[in-house]
Structure formats: structure tokens, C-alpha cells
Amino acid sequence: MGRLAACRGLRARGARRPQRGALIALEVAADDPAVAGVVTLAGPGYPMDELLQLQLGNQLVGYDPGLLLRANAIISSLRQGKTVAEVPPALQGLFSASIQPFLISSMRYDPRLTIRRVRVPVLIVNGDNDLQVVPANADALAAAQPAARKTIVPGMTHVLKSCDERDLQGQLRAVYYNANLPLSPELGPLLRDFIDGLATPPAPQR
């Protein structure tokens, strides 16, 4: 069997330091003929700028609208390839000077365009309690690649653990920093079934 490309979407610490691991997995699957299948776990379905606006809108609109406006202005500048010198302290974790070049680079990529190029089996996994990469991201990826298999895991958060809390602060306390909690019980069988179902190349004829 070929290799499996799998990667997470964002590092799990609030809306901080986004990563493009899931996009890298899709890029590898699209370009490497040795890959037999690809799994995206909580992977973004929108370009980085749109994802950040969704995240921050959900978290700040009722908490600090002024900060949300400032964040959107920063995102707009980064989208244009311009770094921002003045960043409010509350947004430093996301828009610090060291991470801005990474964000500018990431905003050039659209996961929907990448997944359309993938010709191997794709499993798209999101949790319905993921407040960072909401299930609409999985919907966007699945719409772009109708052959993909999409599963929304009930109760699963962005750190792949189940939780009843429906706000980010509650999830941070309950699961984000609790290394002793197991992964969502549905996740393991889901991944195993997908991997087992990947086609095995036929044995050479003699």
C-alpha cells in the first residue's frame, strides 16, 4: 500500500499561531503518486484570511467589536502582502511580527483548489464542537471534492477530544490543557476503517 498523507489543520491553542498542515497533506497527496490516501483532521476549507475572519468573528463579535475591527484591518493588510507594525497586545499571539510573513504566505493558498487536484481517496474529519475550524470548513472541502468522504464527529473539539462545553474558554479549561483525556472514541475506528478500505495494488503477474 502507498503512503497515507494526514495532518492537522491548526495548532490547538485558542485562535493562535495557525498552521497549514492539512493543506500540506493535500498538496502532497495531489503531487506524490506514492500516496494512497489522505486524511484531513480539522483542516481549514477556506484561505487563511477567511478562516481567521471566521474564527475571530465568532470569538470577538460579542466580546470586543473594536478589537475585531482592528483584527480585520490587520488581516486586510496581510492579504495585500503588507506587514503591520502596530498590533494590539491582545492580538500579539496571532499577529506577532515573527508570524506575519507566514500568514502572508499562507493566504495565497486555497484548500478548495488544492483538494480538487487530489485523485486518491480523501477522508475529511471535523468535530461538530470545533470552535476554531467549524464544520463549515469540512463542507467547503467536500463541495470542492465530491468524491471525498466527509464525517462530522459529534461532540469532538479542535483538539480531537470530546467535550460538552460550547464556548472556547470552557473548552480550554476542560480539554485543551488536559493531556490525560483520550481522543474522541469515534475517531480511532473512523481512521482505521478508512485506512483498511484503501485499495491495495494488485500483486504482479507471473
Side-chain angles (χ1 to χ4, degrees), residues 3-206:
R3 292 179 293 174
L4 180 72
C7 209
R8 290 288 313 283
L10 294 177
R11 186 177 299 170
R13 287 212 173 210
R16 296 191 177 197
R17 301 206 181 275
Q19 310 216 327
R20 59 186 187 210
L23 179 58
I24 291 172
L26 292 173
E27 291 279 0
V28 170
D31 297 334
D32 187 345
V35 172
V38 59
V39 179
T40 73
L41 299 174
Y46 304 99
M48 186 65 73
D49 53 320
E50 295 180 30
L51 179 64
L52 290 172
Q53 287 176 322
L54 285 171
Q55 282 188 346
L56 293 171
N58 290 335
Q59 296 174 23
L60 296 178
V61 66
Y63 169 70
D64 192 334
L67 190 62
L68 177 59
L69 290 174
R70 181 65 182 127
N72 285 337
I74 294 172
I75 292 170
S76 179
S77 293
L78 296 176
R79 187 189 300 121
Q80 298 172 47
K82 302 174 182 177
T83 57
V84 179
E86 298 294 331
V87 177
L91 297 175
Q92 278 291 333
L94 187 57
F95 298 118
S96 65
S98 62
I99 201 175
Q100 288 186 32
F102 164 81
L103 292 174
I104 290 172
S105 172
S106 297
M107 289 176 185
R108 299 173 185 153
Y109 298 94
D110 187 336
R112 295 165 295 191
L113 300 180
T114 303
I115 199 172
R116 286 174 189 160
R117 297 170 40 229
V118 176
R119 295 293 178 263
V120 296
V122 178
L123 175 63
I124 301 166
V125 182
N126 246 91
D128 74 351
N129 200 13
D130 188 335
L131 302 180
Q132 291 186 239
V133 180
V134 297
N137 287 269
D139 296 338
L141 290 174
Q145 178 52 277
R149 173 184 171 188
K150 181 191 75 173
T151 300
I152 305 299
V153 179
M156 192 173 76
T157 64
H158 189 65
V159 291
L160 310 182
K161 301 176 181 182
S162 297
C163 179
D164 293 330
E165 298 286 347
R166 294 287 168 172
D167 67 272
L168 185 58
Q169 291 304 314
Q171 290 188 7
L172 289 172
R173 292 190 299 268
V175 297
Y176 272 58
Y177 304 132
N178 189 342
N180 295 320
L181 287 179
L183 297 177
S184 172
E186 294 186 31
L187 186 59
L190 178 66
L191 297 177
R192 183 183 62 244
D193 290 348
F194 177 75
I195 294 171
D196 288 346
L198 294 176
T200 302
Q205 297 292 326
R206 293 189 176 184

